């Protein structure tokens, strides 16, 4: 088992790559849909449909798993959370009420919690798997 600490430049690069990937996935799944649907009763929904958010979550899950399997668990969690936070801020910052900041904060906290759990589980499973084969 390789316990050599990663060089800071490699860690930073991994975080930046994951941030870029998550920002690009946000743009691909959610960035193009900016209109709200107005229903006959006057209520509005949107701008995102459930399938878009599910698609984003599943493709992010694949990216986080891929990074964690390659021993980049910190990048998987921190980079993904940073990228989603930046994307949400850029997408929602035109809200004149200022409440978008609450949503951005929730995206940051939720994505950090979710990606940390997934990265930790994958890292633990791969360490256990490597230890069982010795």
């Amino acid at each position: 088992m390789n316990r050599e600490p990663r060089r800071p430049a490699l860690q930073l690069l991994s975080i930046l790559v994951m941030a870029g990937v998550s920002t690009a996935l946000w743009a691909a799944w959610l960035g193009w849909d900016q209109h709200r649907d107005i229903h006959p009763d006057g209520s509005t929904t949107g701008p995102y449909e459930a399938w878009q958010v599910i698609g984003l979550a599943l493709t992010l899950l694949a990216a986080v798993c891929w990074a964690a399997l390659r021993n980049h668990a910190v990048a998987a969690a921190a980079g993904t959370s940073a990228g989603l936070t930046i994307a949400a801020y850029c997408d929602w910052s035109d809200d004149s009420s200022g409440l978008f900041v609450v949503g951005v904060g929730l995206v940051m906290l939720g994505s950090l919690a979710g990606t940390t759990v997934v990265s930790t589980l994958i890292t633990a499973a791969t360490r256990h798997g490597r230890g069982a084969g010795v």
Side-chain angles (χ1 to χ4, degrees), residues 74-95:
V74 172
T80 302
S81 180
L84 290 178
T85 302
I86 291 167
Y89 181 85
C90 292
D91 198 11
W92 299 340
S93 63
D94 61 348
D95 175 34

Side-chain angles (χ1 to χ4, degrees), residues 15-106:
I15 290 170
L16 291 174
V17 166
M18 286 304 295
V21 166
S22 59
T23 302
L25 287 174
W26 178 289
W29 285 102
L30 306 179
W32 54 271
D33 191 0
Q34 298 297 317
H35 78 282
R36 295 191 177 276
D37 298 322
I38 302 173
H39 301 284
D41 65 356
S43 64
T44 60
T45 59
Y48 314 123
E49 299 292 331
W51 65 267
Q52 291 172 281
V53 178
I54 293 167
L56 174 63
L58 291 175
T59 52
L60 283 171
L61 178 63
V64 168
C65 290
W66 182 84
L69 282 169
R70 279 149 186 78
N71 297 322
H72 296 286
V74 172
T80 302
S81 180
L84 290 178
T85 302
I86 291 167
Y89 181 85
C90 292
D91 198 11
W92 299 340
S93 63
D94 61 348
D95 175 34
S96 61
S97 72
L99 288 176
F100 76 94
V101 175
V102 174
V104 170
L106 291 173

Side-chain angles (χ1 to χ4, degrees), residues 60-66 68-69 73 76-77 111-125:
L60 283 171
L61 178 63
V64 168
C65 290
W66 182 84
L69 282 169
S111 62
L112 186 59
T115 55
T116 299
V117 167
V118 170
S119 297
T120 302
L121 290 174
I122 289 177
T123 300

